[in-house]
Amino acid sequence: MPTASHETESPASTEHLMEEICQPKNLKKALKRVLQNSGAPGVDGMEVQELPGYLREHWVEIKEQLCQGTYQPKPVKRARIPKPGGGERELGIPTALDRFIQQAILQILQPLWDPTFSDHSYGFRPKRSAHQAVNRVQEYIAQGHTYVVDIDLERFFDRVNHDMLMWRLAKRIKDKRLLKLIRAYLNAGVMDDGLVQPTIEGTPQGGPLSPLLSNIVLDDLDRELEKRGHRFVRYADDCNIYVRSERAAQRVMEGVSHFITKKLKLKVNRKKSAIGRPWERKFLGFSFTKEEKPRRRIAPQSIRRFKGRIRELTRRNRGTSRTRMIGELTDYLRGWRAYYGFCETPSVLRSLDSWIRRRLRSYIWKQWKHGQKRLKELRKAGVSRGLASRTAHSSRGPWRISHSKALQIAMPNIYFDMAGLLRLSTR
């Protein structure tokens, strides 16, 4: 199986990287990307939209600090977001200026490193995607590798050893100013509830540079797995290894966990890491059918999260207009379909479409409130008088009524199509 070249840049070509980072063309591209990504302000309160004006006024001074190796990043602001499986994920929000500088660094370093990364690595890399990673897994399963070693790294981004990371960077970068700046970003600290806490390990998760630094650290894991001849796929800190037997899986789990702990100085989450069958596990939101030629399917956990979000958007007590609700639904469905439409089980998408429409019929029925209003709306939609009267005065609740013949006539599928509701299924 082909792997990427592991050649290093010559020292001479990396002695003046800071000048390349500060080239106007690179800076213009970095600013455009930061403005596109937007995001919350950091500890200084500066909005991303204020950044161009700030740079016009202060860039000469900032550039001089960068080129002299005296620039000091500000601490990142701690933010907590809920994790899909429960609990919270901690992120750091750099200032708009630091996001801009990190992006400029990334644009110079990524072309140097990315071609040397493993062919099995898919996360946060140009022209690579989660879909490609899932596709590769599907190939392994079809070849008979029907046991998976699912390794979860505990708080990976918070546990990266700074000295080991800097040692890896120094092997390829000879510009000491850039090395000093990256070290400064690693040590910039975190502001939480107004107090700045030092950061002695971990990468600045939330900044543009963090994904590249994480891939640099985990490239050693990729090389070790390649050396051992394993079939694996890694997406950021999510690594799955595919073998032919349970016994082999147990042996791999033990050996790889030892390497991660002893060599990489990282911690394997024993509770979340497991050996299993691919159709019983999930990877990047997908699972697979138990067939000779496995098909991609949406993992049950992903469907549960999806339904939870739809229930929030279609709560019957929301008190919003159906036009606005359908608009919000469509915005969410568009992104969800772009990712999960990659599945090969269209019947699931059709079933979810039907369920969403039923949720909307239930909401609209509740909006009509009382018998006379309901009777009037059903008759206006072409429902016969007898059926409309029986339905309008029924004691059944909105969810049961939403599946009735009268509402199917009054609000057929095309009714929601014309209202702008996006369908998940295109087949």
Side-chain angles (χ1 to χ4, degrees), residues 410-427:
M411 289 175 273
N413 294 351
I414 195 171
Y415 170 90
F416 296 106
D417 292 339
M418 293 178 66
L421 181 68
L422 187 75
R423 291 196 189 206
L424 295 174
S425 175
T426 56
R427 288 180 268 178

Side-chain angles (χ1 to χ4, degrees), residues 309-339:
R309 180 59 179 150
I310 296 299
R311 287 190 181 99
E312 288 178 16
L313 292 172
T314 58
R315 290 193 321 271
R316 291 198 291 271
N317 61 354
R318 273 197 71 190
T320 189
S321 70
R322 75 189 74 172
T323 301
R324 180 176 176 180
M325 180 177 285
I326 287 175
E328 292 175 351
L329 272 172
T330 294
D331 287 344
Y332 176 67
L333 294 175
R334 185 174 288 111
W336 199 86
R337 187 179 75 175
Y339 187 75

Side-chain angles (χ1 to χ4, degrees), residues 118-142:
S118 168
D119 187 51
H120 300 267
S121 166
Y122 290 87
F124 309 115
R125 296 184 59 190
K127 299 180 181 179
R128 290 193 156 230
S129 69
H131 287 173
Q132 291 173 333
V134 172
N135 231 3
R136 176 69 76 88
V137 168
Q138 192 175 9
E139 292 171 8
Y140 290 152
I141 300 168

Side-chain angles (χ1 to χ4, degrees), residues 93-104:
I93 304 175
T95 64
L97 175 60
D98 283 325
R99 265 177 271 176
F100 165 69
I101 294 171
Q102 284 192 36
Q103 180 64 36

Side-chain angles (χ1 to χ4, degrees), residues 201-353:
E201 61 180 1
T203 61
Q205 192 178 4
L209 200 52
S210 179
L212 175 63
L213 297 181
S214 69
N215 275 332
I216 290 171
V217 170
L218 291 175
D219 190 53
D220 280 7
L221 173 61
D222 298 338
R223 299 300 165 187
E224 181 66 19
L225 295 178
E226 286 176 351
K227 189 170 73 175
R228 298 183 185 191
H230 291 315
R231 288 164 175 81
F232 72 97
V233 172
R234 184 177 65 79
Y235 192 95
D237 58 337
D238 200 345
C239 182
N240 280 9
I241 307 166
Y242 294 83
V243 297
R244 291 185 180 272
S245 70
E246 185 175 5
R247 185 176 178 182
Q250 290 170 344
R251 187 171 62 250
V252 169
M253 174 66 85
E254 184 178 343
V256 174
S257 296
H258 183 269
F259 175 82
I260 290 170
T261 304
K262 298 299 181 182
K263 299 293 185 179
L264 300 185
K265 308 299 182 186
L266 297 171
K267 189 173 181 181
V268 175
N269 189 326
R270 297 289 180 178
K271 290 183 179 179
K272 292 185 178 179
S273 299
I275 293 165
R277 297 289 207 163
W279 44 87
E280 296 168 349
R281 307 288 298 174
K282 68 178 177 70
F283 181 65
L284 301 179
F286 289 92
S287 188
F288 303 89
T289 60
K290 187 181 178 181
E291 299 170 320
E292 186 177 349
K293 291 185 177 180
R295 289 176 295 148
R296 299 182 296 271
R297 66 184 180 94
I298 305 168
Q301 300 94 317
S302 301
I303 291 177
R304 284 197 295 271
R305 287 199 298 271
F306 171 80
K307 285 192 168 185
R309 180 59 179 150
I310 296 299
R311 287 190 181 99
E312 288 178 16
L313 292 172
T314 58
R315 290 193 321 271
R316 291 198 291 271
N317 61 354
R318 273 197 71 190
T320 189
S321 70
R322 75 189 74 172
T323 301
R324 180 176 176 180
M325 180 177 285
I326 287 175
E328 292 175 351
L329 272 172
T330 294
D331 287 344
Y332 176 67
L333 294 175
R334 185 174 288 111
W336 199 86
R337 187 179 75 175
Y339 187 75
Y340 287 103
F342 185 62
C343 75
E344 295 175 311
T345 51
S347 62
V348 174
L349 299 179
R350 289 195 293 269
S351 175
L352 290 173
D353 277 331

